[in-house]
Amino acid sequence: MTGRKPILAIAAGWTLVVLALGALWRVEALSLLLLLGLVIPALASLPGANRDERERALDREASHLALGAVYLLAVGVVIHALLVRGTHPDPRWYLVLALPLLVRPLVTVGRGRGPRILGLGLGTAIGILWLAFALLGHGLGTAGLIESAVGGAILLATALGRGWPRAGGVLLVALGVLFAVMLGARLAHVPGATAALMVLLLPLPLLVAGGALLVSGTGEPSPEE
Amino acid sequence: MRHALTNRIRRHRALAGLTQAELARRVGVSRQTVVAMEKGSYNPSVTLALRLARELGATVEELFTLEADHDG
């Protein structure tokens, strides 16, 4: 299988560059070798990499196990911090937890069920979560009702997307942009990992849900619909 | 009751006078994949099964059999 040669050449070239950086600049530059762990599997998964179906299946299985191992580590760190030490862990660990929790179902639902179901499911989930947090956090007082209105708006936009995916999609994207703008001012004052987590949990899912509904509204309906 | 997929790739390859490496090259997979298929530890996709059948001069049904596995 000749497809491995370019990947090995790229890996060897990068290793030489990093070794040179380590020797000429600072030894910590050797940490850039860690990127190979991301780049090599990514290159190997490209169609031109000439890997056969069994090798791709093995790659996917290995990636699945690697994800499980990393997730287990993050869960362990978070639970240990919360339950044993009684403090919050470094926010970066929440980020490590949130990324697979978001990306995996997005890919599974998006590719398995299509953009319409992804947009509707994601919009509904965000709306319900928002409502639950608003009511549990603030009760039925004025603050709780104002916060709940946001969740209600998300659910309404999603419900609209059932019959009119483009309209629902535009509204969800608009809400996502609104959240992004509102968050923008606050992000400068929080640590990078916290800022990334806020973007990941608030505007980004809305933008993805809206985008998915817009995509579903532009294509032909599938035969079973 | 489960069903187990068995294959006769090795027998048909021998009849065709091909080595594992030659068959692998013809169907566009690695030799290790041919070894795994012959051992039954990897079940090929429909596309690969059709390629194997074409290269070995057999039908897919001649190469692969779905057998009832009463242990399941």
Side-chain angles (χ1 to χ4, degrees):
Chain A
M1 314 251 22
T2 55
R4 288 192 180 88
K5 287 179 182 170
I7 296 173
L8 288 174
I10 289 170
W14 180 248
T15 303
L16 287 176
V17 168
V18 172
L19 287 176
L21 282 173
L24 299 172
W25 179 40
R26 49 194 288 197
V27 72
E28 287 82 7
L30 295 178
S31 62
L32 293 171
L33 281 174
L34 291 171
L35 285 172
L36 286 177
L38 180 70
V39 172
I40 290 177
L43 289 174
S45 69
L46 294 175
N50 202 19
R51 290 169 80 80
D52 70 34
E53 59 180 48
R54 177 181 142 274
E55 291 166 325
R56 289 178 193 279
L58 287 174
D59 277 346
R60 283 193 292 270
E61 191 178 333
S63 297
H64 182 71
L65 291 172
L67 168 70
V70 172
Y71 190 75
L72 188 65
L73 173 69
V75 166
V77 169
V78 170
I79 288 177
H80 181 263
L82 291 174
L83 293 183
V84 180
R85 297 207 329 258
T87 59
H88 276 285
D90 187 308
R92 280 173 287 196
W93 285 106
Y94 286 122
L95 200 57
V96 173
L97 279 183
L99 274 169
L101 275 178
L102 285 172
V103 172
R104 201 172 188 284
L106 286 183
V107 174
T108 306
V109 177
R111 294 195 62 178
R113 304 290 302 277
R116 181 176 181 273
I117 300 296
L118 173 66
L120 294 176
L122 194 56
T124 305
I126 303 165
I128 289 174
L129 282 175
W130 190 285
L131 270 179
F133 277 109
L135 292 175
L136 289 173
H138 301 284
L140 286 171
T142 311
L145 291 176
I146 291 173
E147 286 257 340
S148 302
V150 179
I154 295 169
L155 286 175
L156 273 178
T158 307
L160 188 69
R162 277 186 193 281
W164 297 274
R166 286 185 195 177
V170 166
L171 280 177
L172 286 174
V173 168
L175 283 168
V177 171
L178 186 66
F179 275 123
V181 171
M182 286 165 62
L183 272 180
R186 296 181 58 188
L187 291 183
H189 307 292
V190 296
T194 308
L197 198 60
M198 288 164 77
V199 171
L200 202 66
L201 294 178
L202 291 170
L204 198 61
L206 284 174
L207 293 172
V208 171
L213 281 179
L214 283 173
V215 168
S216 77
T218 54
E220 290 291 320
S222 57
E224 67 272 16
E225 284 181 326
Chain B
M1 184 192 303
R2 292 179 304 178
H3 290 88
L5 188 69
T6 60
N7 74 72
R8 285 174 287 278
I9 296 174
R10 187 192 300 269
R11 185 189 305 169
H12 281 271
R13 178 175 61 76
L15 285 173
L18 294 173
T19 64
Q20 290 174 330
E22 284 168 339
L23 178 60
R25 186 180 52 77
R26 289 189 183 197
V27 298
V29 299
S30 66
R31 192 183 69 81
Q32 288 82 359
T33 295
V34 171
V35 172
M37 286 189 293
E38 289 187 351
K39 283 166 59 182
S41 60
Y42 177 70
N43 292 330
S45 67
V46 174
T47 308
L48 181 52
L50 286 165
R51 271 197 220 131
L52 285 165
R54 189 179 60 197
E55 293 299 330
L56 295 174
T59 64
V60 172
E61 287 81 2
E62 285 170 335
L63 285 183
F64 299 94
T65 307
L66 202 56
E67 292 178 347
D69 179 0
H70 294 279
D71 294 337

